Amino acid sequence: MRRREEHESLSKQMVEKDARIAQLEKDLAVERSKTAQLQQFIDMQRMGSKRAARSGGRSGDDVEMDDEDE
């Protein structure tokens, strides 16, 4: 009887841990997706800054920030 209870308890713990692992894997996938989106945004911002620097032009954000400093 005791072995059966231990087996049931261990089985229940395994099911709970498996469910937790599955949830953590989903959470990780979401965070990876967010990270990829942020990286794309950063890359786009950098490309825009490099283009503006090469052309000698300034974006509207740069103008506002420079005006505040003066």
Side-chain angles (χ1 to χ4, degrees):
M1 183 78 164
R2 180 172 159 92
R3 276 193 174 273
R4 182 177 182 162
E5 290 172 359
E6 287 176 359
H7 177 65
E8 288 175 2
S9 176
L10 290 173
S11 293
K12 181 181 175 186
Q13 287 177 10
M14 285 180 58
V15 168
E16 290 171 353
K17 288 184 188 274
D18 286 345
R20 178 71 175 140
I21 289 169
Q23 183 61 49
L24 289 171
E25 287 174 339
K26 288 178 186 177
D27 293 347
L28 179 59
V30 168
E31 293 305 319
R32 283 183 173 161
S33 177
K34 288 180 183 179
T35 300
Q37 289 176 342
L38 287 171
Q39 187 62 53
Q40 286 178 338
F41 176 76
I42 290 168
D43 291 345
M44 289 173 58
Q45 293 296 314
R46 286 182 180 162
M47 284 181 12
S49 295
K50 287 179 184 176
R51 284 183 185 161
R54 278 190 295 224
S55 68
R58 295 164 56 148
S59 69
D61 291 338
D62 292 340
V63 172
E64 288 179 23
M65 290 178 69
D66 289 344
D67 290 343
E68 290 174 4
D69 292 339
E70 294 178 359

